Amino acid sequence: MTEQVTLQVNGQPQTCPVSTPLPQFLEQLGLNPRLVAVEYNGEILHRQFWEKTEIQSGDRLEIVTIVGGG
């Protein structure tokens, strides 16, 4: 069985496998990584760091979906 970590996503508890890369986690949540902004442990995380960021136990993510329109 794969070890799981627990984290907070927009204030709600979530789990994922240990060392899941951030873009893969976003896809597991049903989100398109190109259409969201992520605050990671209280700091805006620039896209250039997403691939290197692995989800750890206790992480806190705030995810905002970008909505187009007028």
Side-chain angles (χ1 to χ4, degrees), residues 4-69:
Q4 298 282 309
V5 296
T6 301
L7 66 150
Q8 293 284 318
V9 178
N10 294 349
Q12 300 296 316
Q14 294 280 342
T15 60
C16 71
V18 171
S19 299
T20 299
L22 179 59
Q24 183 180 334
F25 179 68
L26 294 172
E27 289 173 359
Q28 288 173 7
L29 294 176
L31 299 170
N32 182 338
R34 294 179 300 167
L35 300 177
V36 298
V38 177
E39 183 182 278
Y40 182 77
N41 295 329
E43 306 243 347
I44 297 294
L45 186 63
H46 295 282
R47 263 176 224 283
Q48 69 192 46
F49 301 114
W50 285 18
E51 287 294 332
K52 298 176 187 170
T53 302
E54 295 181 345
I55 302 300
Q56 304 295 319
S57 186
D59 280 349
R60 294 180 333 276
L61 302 180
E62 293 293 326
I63 302 171
V64 179
T65 302
I66 300 166
V67 178

